[in-house]
Amino acid sequence: MTTRTTTVRLPLEPALPVELAQELSQRVYFVSDTITGFSLVRSADGITAVDVDVDTETAVDPAGLARRINLMTANDLIGQRITEPKVVWRAAGSGAVTDAFDELVARGGAVEAGEGLIGVGEPVLSLMDHLDSLLRALVVEEFGAREYRYPTLVSADVLRRTGYFESFPQMVMSVSRLHGDIDSYRGFLDALADGGDLQEALSAHSGGFDHCLPPTMCFHTYHQFADGPLPAPSMVVTARGKSFRNESRYRRSLERLWDFTIREIVFLGTPEFVLDARGRLMERAYELVDALGLGGRCEVAGDPFFLNDTTAARAWSQRLLELKYELRLPLDGERDVSVGSFNYHEQFFGRSFGIGGAKGEPVFTGCAGFGLERFAYAFLCRHGLDPAHWPDAVRTAVAP
């Protein structure tokens, strides 16, 4: 059944510079879950309004939506300094790039299982495993990394120590369960037996929001070494696991998933060690992308901080100090996707988790994460689904 929508114009006061269009676009859907689509209204003065689509069957208060979107722009965007993107590496790939998602679905290599949820089959599965094996071998060879496999859930208290709730409340995904007593179980079963609404029944009888789905793997590592001295003057830890982020309506193909697989590498030690290790890993990642014939670029980037009082200042500081880089690979002639990020946290996590260095001071940390679904997807967009057109080494390893 087709959903009918109506368009509501939400004026921005004041207008935003056009250079902030991307920053605005990645936040609009989080303003209200009644928004099903949007477009930016531009003029000589900049971005003057946002036209949002809303379901005609949903009661919508235009003034309320305008208040919310202006609250967000005033908090997150006005005050951000505008800078030209700084690219630190760029390479051309071999051949044309064409979005492979529709063909992947048609061949059964990707299955849309629900909102933000996509299952993958071949050739994505084997490509993910192969690319991960290359990354794992790289970090073990280059850094002697220790590997761990962490649990899926992370304690809400641990997540709070990371500052994630304050920085990215829009992406948090929590885990609950039914109250642990027989009356709660009986009440829940009775509600379902009477044909009651499942969501209402869960809300009425659930509690214990003491765990979350981890948004990234590195938080497990900081928790692992919390409240004590680091076992060695410097360490490199790697892990592969599932990460979860509420992407709202930004979900699209294999670019933005609510759950995805990540290969994480964490550096702990002195600032010199962490920065050197991050730089070496970036260079090795460029070599890998070149060897795969993918092409792309690496640039200074920022995180999508949301609604925190210091959002604008933190976004500017992050870019100014080059605390984050993103490795971006093309998906077609216009779009690209970040398949990896390289981050430097200074002493933030060492301090918040009480991880002590050689002299008892909080350790410095950095991390890098590679999204394996995205990486495999970018490979298929570059080389196609037919292994005959893949680089020899990949074809031999994945489809002999």
Side-chain angles (χ1 to χ4, degrees):
M1 183 176 67
T2 303
T3 302
R4 298 192 175 205
T5 62
T6 186
T7 301
V8 177
R9 176 158 292 185
L10 308 178
L12 298 182
E13 301 173 355
L16 288 176
V18 294
E19 291 85 355
L20 291 176
Q22 182 177 355
E23 293 283 342
L24 172 60
S25 294
Q26 67 182 5
R27 290 170 169 81
V28 172
Y29 283 130
F30 293 117
V31 168
S32 171
D33 59 11
T34 63
I35 299 173
T36 62
F38 70 90
S39 60
L40 307 185
V41 180
R42 306 171 191 243
S43 73
D45 296 324
I47 304 170
T48 57
V50 181
D51 285 345
V52 298
D53 299 329
V54 294
D55 190 337
T56 54
E57 296 183 2
T58 302
V60 174
D61 174 17
L65 283 178
R67 176 189 62 80
R68 294 176 201 174
I69 203 164
N70 278 282
L71 171 65
M72 179 272 290
T73 58
N75 188 87
D76 291 8
L77 303 182
I78 296 172
Q80 279 206 34
R81 302 191 189 186
I82 299 168
T83 58
E84 288 292 322
K86 180 178 178 181
V87 177
V88 297
W89 173 83
R90 188 190 300 273
S94 57
V97 185
T98 305
D99 192 329
F101 186 69
D102 288 344
E103 184 182 359
L104 200 57
V105 171
R107 294 190 181 192
V111 180
E112 298 182 83
E115 189 174 10
L117 307 174
I118 296 179
V120 295
E122 295 296 352
V124 182
L125 280 177
S126 294
L127 269 175
M128 286 174 59
D129 286 343
H130 177 62
L131 294 171
D132 181 56
S133 71
L134 296 177
L135 292 167
R136 181 188 178 279
L138 187 160
V139 297
V140 170
E141 172 190 310
E142 184 79 17
F143 306 105
R146 305 185 189 183
E147 185 168 25
Y148 291 91
R149 179 169 295 177
Y150 295 116
T152 296
L153 300 184
V154 63
S155 163
D157 290 336
V158 169
L159 198 57
R160 185 166 191 176
R161 292 180 79 167
T162 71
Y164 199 85
F165 291 116
E166 293 81 4
S167 298
F168 312 106
Q170 79 280 22
M171 291 186 172
V172 172
M173 300 182 75
S174 60
V175 177
S176 184
R177 60 190 183 280
L178 296 179
H179 288 296
D181 65 80
I182 196 167
D183 291 336
S184 177
Y185 302 143
R186 186 70 265 169
F188 176 72
L189 294 174
D190 289 345
L192 294 185
D194 292 340
D197 182 86
L198 175 61
Q199 299 302 319
E200 291 181 1
L202 287 170
S203 297
H205 299 286
S206 293
F209 289 87
D210 49 5
H211 284 81
C212 294
L213 297 171
T216 185
M217 285 289 99
C218 62
F219 294 162
H220 288 294
T221 302
Y222 306 135
H223 180 220
Q224 175 182 355
F225 298 113
D227 303 317
L230 196 66
S234 61
M235 292 183 65
V236 179
V237 172
T238 188
R240 168 178 169 162
K242 279 287 192 177
S243 295
F244 304 81
R245 297 173 194 173
N246 169 35
E247 291 285 3
S248 186
R249 297 183 186 275
Y250 292 106
R251 65 189 187 278
R252 182 172 62 181
S253 68
L254 295 179
E255 299 168 62
R256 287 187 176 272
L257 300 173
W258 283 19
D259 78 296
F260 55 95
T261 315
I262 191 169
R263 166 61 64 179
E264 189 95 24
I265 304 97
V266 182
F267 309 108
L268 307 99
T270 65
E272 295 80 10
F273 170 78
V274 172
L275 286 171
D276 176 70
R278 182 181 70 157
R280 284 159 54 197
L281 180 58
M282 290 170 66
E283 292 295 332
R284 292 296 301 270
Y286 304 156
E287 294 171 4
L288 176 59
V289 169
D290 271 338
L292 294 169
L294 297 180
R297 72 184 189 280
C298 187
E299 64 186 20
V300 175
D303 286 310
F305 302 117
F306 191 70
L307 283 189
N308 189 285
D309 290 342
T310 61
T311 289
R314 291 175 71 187
W316 163 244
S317 175
Q318 191 178 42
R319 287 185 170 86
L320 177 66
L321 299 176
E322 299 187 13
L323 301 181
K324 183 183 186 72
Y325 297 97
E326 284 186 345
L327 178 62
R328 306 191 68 87
L329 305 184
L331 301 177
D332 60 25
E334 298 179 353
R335 291 163 36 245
D336 58 29
V337 67
S338 171
V339 302
S341 66
F342 309 89
N343 310 281
Y344 179 49
H345 314 123
E346 299 179 307
Q347 290 177 294
F348 178 83
F349 290 118
R351 185 175 294 110
S352 60
F353 279 89
I355 308 172
K359 299 179 181 179
E361 77 289 357
V363 298
F364 290 75
T365 67
C367 73
F370 295 87
L372 299 181
E373 287 89 353
R374 287 182 174 187
F375 206 167
Y377 182 40
F379 179 95
L380 293 173
C381 290
R382 171 67 74 175
H383 295 300
L385 273 63
D386 185 352
H389 300 142
W390 297 356
D392 291 343
V394 180
R395 183 175 65 252
T396 302
V398 175

